[in-house]
Every structure is written in structure tokens, then in C-alpha cells.
Amino acid sequence: MVLKQKLKLTFVLTLTSGVLLAGCSNNASTDDKAESTPVSSINATNGKDGGNAAMNGYPIVKDKLTLNFVMAKATQQKKATDQLKVVNDLEALTNIHIKWDASDQGYQEKKNLMFASGDLPDGFFGSGSLTDADILKYGTQGMLIPLEKLIDQYAPNIKQLLTNQPDVKKMLTAPDGHIYSIPTVITEGANELGEVLFVNKDWMDKLRLSVPTTTVEFEKVLNAFKNGGDLNGNGQKDEIPFSFLNGNPLNGIYGVYGAFGIPDNGSHVMVQDGKVSYIANRPEYKAATQYFNGLYKQGLIDQEAFTQDRNIYFSKGRGKGKPVYGAFTGYNAENVVGPDNAKSYVAIAPLKGPNGQQLVNLGDTLAVTKSGFSITSANKHVAETMRWINSVFEERHSVEWEFGPIGVNFKETNGDKYEYLPTPAGTTYDDFRCTEAPCFGGTGAITEEIYKKIELSDKIKGRLAYLKIYQPFMKRFTLPSGMFFTIEDSDRMNVLSTDINELVKKKQAQWIIDGNVDAEWDSYLTQLKKIGLDEFLQIYQRTYDRFQSVK
């Protein structure tokens, strides 16, 4: 996932026990006047929906019904969820009131405690609400209920989505054959593209430099930035030749590794011709790491690149009034350095390495996250709940819950087109889209057909311009997003991936900062084997083979 990256959510995970049990459904709300619909009474043939629910049209229920949902709120969403326009509009339409337990702090601990105690809400909502492991574990344990028959009966929009997108259905289907979650499906311009490398064109012009095209030329430009004096003209020696957010798929250096033969990714796992293999034990990975060590030794890499978080990375890029980065990576320039500073930067093509290699990863056009909505075993109104989430997956509602409501973020044109309203001065497009919608923390389906109806924002136009630069050098190395491990393999992978990822992350940072990769390489390979790399790859291979065989 890629996703919503598509995938694009950052959650601060600290426990806030005061909101822990808000919204759990073991105690019936006084608003719950609807007739109960036990899970056992819902199947593909009996047609029961709990007497209060209309099978078609709105409102969904005659008497107001209250459901309790838990969600991981996007940090960009500043309003309480129950105050968002899209939420209130849907309540007015459906006559279903949602009590939202929504948080961006302490969410992980809260969620885990709910499952451990059995004190569950009616549903988990949003792309960040459950992990793939949660869905499989709690689905097979019966705490999340199977949804495939409910989708057939009560969710025509979702059913049509899975019919039109068989790969999405394949991704959702657990090894036991059940579907325990409704996905978040987002097409947004240039999802195929990961991080982009930006260079300060104003500084290059001052120093009479050409845009770098190779790793050698890039190094020379960074040296010129380091030694070029007060390039930003603020009277301080605060210029940083090159910064990034290590380990981040949209602000990191995975793509630069492609100059040495194979672009890296977060899992360090790749597939070619049906064969799964590892990246961080290959000579190409070693050569790229040596290159970055050469840059670091010369003082060309931000000393905080391996410790800073997203907030620090962005604040440094935006906060001094003048550009401080000579080069950086990001989704777009404005996100990292702000709209004013962004004017100083240009996106450059992937760098060509010492052997003439010039590669970046080709991502998936459609970003799919398994998590979007799941119904728990505590829910006594599953038919009504399924009809409610089906409403979110109507075209207009999906657009509004993802990008913001009509009249606030959009106006409708030509009957079925959506045109962006201007982003207010002093705010970013991403913050604007989250003012009256859950945006990155929500769910819905923006398919390619729907996406074509949405006027391209300036942000997406920029991404498509970057994509044109990168397309000639893109090749798919990554595994399909969203493969389901079996329970046994998932448990084993939790152990193996933790040990392997910790070792790789630690050694990469050490080698770039301190060097010594040549002296330590063989012992590193031995250590990877010792902590289970072969078993790790075997699990990935059989999971990939099983995924490919699903019809």
C-alpha cells in the first residue's frame, strides 16, 4: 500500500484513558428504538433487516437509531467528528446518529484494550482504524463479523465496487474465505509515484550550476550549497545541503537507491518474475549506502535526517522565512517547505548512478487499504449499519468524505462534475480538505471513473507533472499491496519482521553516519540469516503464490 498511501496518515500514539470506553455498545443507547437485528438472522436468503430499516431509499430508519463507532482521526482534522458537515448531512439523510469515539492520540492502546476487554463499539471506521493483522486476528476470533453476505443484501454500492474491481475483492478475502472489512479505495493523481527529489534552482542559478543528472553531479551541487555562503540571504549560516525523512515512503530516499540498480522500499522486499527476494542484503543496496556515507562525511546530509519526525522536517523547511534546504525529498514541494519557499525548487529526474542505472519504483494506480469499515459482534443493528456505510460509498458522499463537501471545498458543474473552490490564503490544500470532512481518516471509494469527474487540484496537477519526469525510469519491484498472511504466518512474521527491520534500520543509519559497511557486511549477512531472513522470505513467497492463485 500503497495507500491512501494513499496511502498519507500520521497518528501520535499515546494513551488517553479518559475517552477509552466512550461509544462502546454493550450498554444500549436510549436512542436505540430500532428493532434488534441479530447477526444470525442476516444471510443471503432470508432478507431480514430489523423492522425499523427501509430496504431502499432514505431515511434508512423511521425512528432515529444511534450507533457507536471508533475511528483513528487524521491529525489534519481539527474539528470534532460529530461537528463535521459531511457527518451531519449524512445523519439528516439516513436518520442514523453516530456517537464518534475519534482520536489521534492513544488510539492504538485504546483499540487494543477494547478487543482485550471485549467492550466493543458497533464498528471501526476509517482507513487508519484497524491494521491488516487486526482484521484477520479479530475476524477469525469472531469479534469482527463476516461481511460478504451483508454486502450482497444491503450494500449495492460496495457490491458493485467489488464486482468492478476483482483485485480489491481478492485483497480483502481472508485465507478462511471471509471478508471482514470494507476497504478504502482511492484514486488520486500519480499514485504510481513515490517521493520526488527537489533541488533549489535559485541557489543553483546564483552559483551558475546546472541541474544535476547523476549521483556525481548531485554530490558536486550539494558541496557547492555547503560552501556557497549565505545563499538564502538571511544573514545566518543555516543552509542544509540535503535533508530527508529516513524510512518515509514519500519523504525518504528509497528512490535514490535506484541509481545503484534497485530502488528500496519500506519492507525491503521485492518480487521479479514471481520470485520474492530481499533488497537490503544485495550489493546494490551496499553501494547506495556507501554513496550516502560519502555525502554524510562531507557534511552534505542533514544531521537530523535519521532522527527527525515529519513535524520537525516540515517546520525546518517552512519555518525560517527563507529556504534552508538545498535539496530534499517529498510528495510535493509545498508540503515540505510551504507555498512561498516552494517557488525556489524544481523537481529533477531520478539520478543516474555510476553504472548508468536510473530506476524508481512504479506504484499502484489505485491505492487500496483493507481498513475502511468493520462491524463488531457487539452490533445489534447490522443491516442498518451496512446500509449506512453503503451510503458513504455513494459517489457524491465518497467525494465529500474524502475531499470535502459541496459548497465548502467543491462546486458542482455540468451536472456530474466537481470543481474545487479556492483554498483560503494561509492554509494548505490538505488542511482545507479536512475542515469539514474526515479526509485522510475516513473511507469511501474514489474509483478511476469518479476521479475523472473531479477537476484536478493544483497539487495533483503538480504531481502529474512530476510523474511525466519520472515515468521513463519507473519499474515495478514491489509486492502487491494488501496480501493476507495466515494467522500462523502473521504471528511468525510479527517476530521475524521486528528483528529483521530493527537490524536493517540500525545498520543503515550506522553505515551512513559512521561508515564501515565493507568491514561489517559479511557479519551483517550472517546475522540476517541467523535471525530468520530465509524463513521470512519463504513466508512472503507462499503468501504471494496464494494471493496470485485466488480467483
Side-chain angles (χ1 to χ4, degrees):
M1 136 100 94
V2 179
L3 218 274
K4 190 170 185 185
Q5 120 281 61
K6 17 108 121 284
L7 345 50
K8 306 161 181 161
L9 284 174
T10 303
F11 300 110
V12 182
L13 302 177
T14 57
L15 181 61
T16 50
S17 59
V19 292
L20 178 62
L21 299 180
C24 293
S25 65
N26 287 2
N27 296 318
S29 165
T30 56
D31 292 328
D32 289 352
K33 301 175 183 176
E35 182 177 315
S36 173
T37 311
V39 175
S40 59
S41 74
I42 304 294
N43 58 50
T45 58
N46 66 20
K48 293 181 182 178
D49 73 334
N52 186 33
M55 285 300 292
N56 296 293
Y58 295 108
I60 290 174
V61 292
K62 294 175 290 184
D63 301 317
K64 180 160 283 194
L65 170 67
T66 294
L67 299 171
N68 302 298
F69 293 167
V70 170
M71 70 177 284
K73 187 172 73 170
T75 55
Q76 292 92 340
Q77 180 193 318
K78 305 306 179 188
K79 276 188 175 181
T81 303
D82 62 3
Q83 296 176 14
L84 297 174
K85 185 177 188 305
V86 296
V87 170
N88 289 319
D89 286 349
L90 197 64
E91 177 174 340
L93 181 68
T94 63
N95 207 28
I96 293 177
H97 172 70
I98 309 300
K99 285 186 176 178
W100 296 95
D101 186 350
S103 57
D104 60 355
Q105 295 188 13
Y107 179 79
Q108 189 73 19
E109 291 87 347
K110 177 194 301 183
K111 175 196 70 178
N112 291 343
L113 189 52
M114 284 179 171
F115 280 113
S117 66
D119 199 356
L120 296 170
D122 292 307
F124 285 89
F125 175 90
S127 58
S129 61
L130 297 172
T131 66
D132 291 2
D134 290 335
I135 292 166
L136 184 60
K137 177 180 178 180
Y138 299 121
T140 54
Q141 289 180 2
M143 301 176 86
L144 304 176
I145 67 171
L147 302 179
E148 58 272 11
K149 292 181 180 179
L150 293 169
I151 291 170
D152 282 343
Q153 276 192 282
Y154 302 109
N157 299 321
I158 297 165
K159 182 177 180 179
Q160 189 65 48
L161 170 69
L162 299 184
T163 300
N164 293 345
Q165 303 281 351
D167 283 350
V168 175
K169 184 175 182 180
K170 185 170 157 181
M171 184 187 302
L172 292 179
T173 304
D176 65 2
H178 287 304
I179 292 174
Y180 296 108
S181 65
I182 293 163
T184 301
V185 178
I186 304 294
T187 298
E188 191 168 328
N191 272 344
E192 295 173 325
L193 181 61
E195 81 270 16
V196 176
L197 181 58
F198 296 92
V199 178
N200 193 313
K201 185 68 163 55
D202 290 348
W203 293 5
M204 286 191 293
D205 290 345
K206 276 187 181 181
L207 298 169
R208 298 183 180 180
L209 298 171
S210 299
V211 172
T213 61
T214 69
T215 52
V216 172
E217 291 173 3
F218 185 61
E219 183 176 343
K220 289 178 180 178
V221 166
L222 297 184
N223 262 304
F225 289 165
K226 178 187 176 186
N227 300 306
D230 184 17
L231 290 171
N232 61 17
N234 67 354
Q236 303 175 48
K237 185 53 184 167
D238 56 359
E239 289 78 4
I240 298 171
F242 181 33
S243 190
F244 50 86
L245 190 57
N246 194 51
N248 186 289
L250 292 173
N251 300 279
I253 51 175
Y254 293 132
V256 183
Y257 274 73
F260 297 85
I262 297 173
D264 198 11
N265 62 68
S267 68
H268 309 293
V269 177
M270 61 178 282
V271 62
Q272 282 185 302
D273 301 322
K275 174 70 173 175
V276 177
S277 61
Y278 204 59
I279 295 169
N281 65 348
R282 298 174 68 108
E284 297 93 336
Y285 179 89
K286 177 184 175 185
T289 303
Q290 288 172 315
Y291 171 73
F292 284 114
N293 172 242
L295 300 184
Y296 195 91
K297 283 194 300 186
Q298 297 172 73
L300 307 181
I301 290 178
D302 188 347
Q303 291 190 353
E304 294 183 308
F306 294 92
T307 57
Q308 63 191 353
D309 62 17
R310 182 176 180 270
N311 291 331
I312 293 173
Y313 181 55
F314 283 17
S315 67
K316 280 160 49 178
R318 301 178 183 198
K320 300 234 179 177
K322 296 280 189 178
V324 297
Y325 294 152
F328 67 90
T329 59
Y331 179 81
N332 63 22
E334 183 177 299
N335 279 6
V336 180
V337 298
D340 292 332
N341 287 344
K343 299 168 187 174
S344 297
Y345 294 89
V346 293
I348 68 171
L351 298 171
K352 185 181 291 185
N355 297 319
Q357 293 159 313
Q358 199 172 8
L359 292 168
V360 288
N361 268 318
L362 172 64
D364 294 316
T365 303
L366 198 65
V368 181
T369 305
K370 284 195 188 74
S371 176
F373 190 73
S374 292
I375 300 175
T376 75
S377 56
N379 191 313
K380 300 183 184 302
H381 307 281
V382 294
E384 297 89 338
T385 302
M386 184 58 72
R387 290 211 52 220
W388 182 91
I389 191 61
N390 184 68
S391 301
V392 176
F393 276 73
E394 288 181 13
E395 177 184 307
R396 176 172 172 150
H397 295 154
S398 281
V399 170
E400 290 190 311
W401 282 60
E402 173 67 16
F403 298 118
I406 307 298
V408 176
N409 299 86
F410 284 105
K411 64 180 180 181
E412 288 181 290
T413 59
N414 299 324
D416 65 346
K417 303 285 186 185
Y418 306 93
E419 182 178 326
Y420 285 95
L421 293 173
T423 299
T427 189
T428 66
Y429 160 75
D430 282 342
D431 288 338
F432 181 45
R433 70 191 275 189
C434 299
T435 54
E436 292 291 350
C439 58
F440 304 118
T443 190
I446 308 295
T447 62
E448 186 174 355
E449 292 72 23
I450 295 173
Y451 190 75
K452 288 176 181 176
K453 300 178 182 181
I454 302 173
E455 178 207 28
L456 297 178
S457 67
D458 289 340
K459 172 182 172 181
I460 300 306
K461 288 176 184 176
R463 284 288 288 179
L464 291 174
Y466 308 152
L467 180 62
K468 281 188 178 180
I469 298 171
Y470 275 66
Q471 267 178 331
F473 314 105
M474 300 179 86
K475 184 176 178 181
R476 191 179 302 281
F477 290 91
T478 52
L479 287 161
S481 60
M483 297 190 308
F484 255 131
F485 295 106
T486 64
I487 289 287
E488 295 77 11
D489 284 346
S490 180
D491 290 342
R492 185 63 182 142
M493 285 296 274
N494 285 339
V495 176
L496 292 171
S497 60
T498 298
D499 292 344
I500 291 168
N501 290 339
E502 282 182 359
L503 174 63
V504 172
K505 183 177 180 181
K506 174 184 174 184
K507 298 311 293 184
Q508 183 206 36
Q510 282 182 355
W511 288 333
I512 292 176
I513 294 170
D514 300 325
N516 249 1
V517 63
D518 268 331
E520 297 181 3
W521 186 252
D522 288 344
S523 63
Y524 163 74
L525 297 182
T526 300
Q527 200 170 353
L528 280 174
K529 275 187 166 291
K530 186 176 179 180
I531 59 177
L533 180 61
D534 290 341
E535 183 185 0
F536 173 87
L537 291 174
Q538 288 166 7
I539 293 173
Y540 259 119
Q541 184 70 60
R542 65 172 170 259
T543 303
Y544 174 75
D545 292 341
R546 184 178 61 249
F547 180 84
Q548 292 297 96
S549 70
V550 173
K551 302 300 182 186

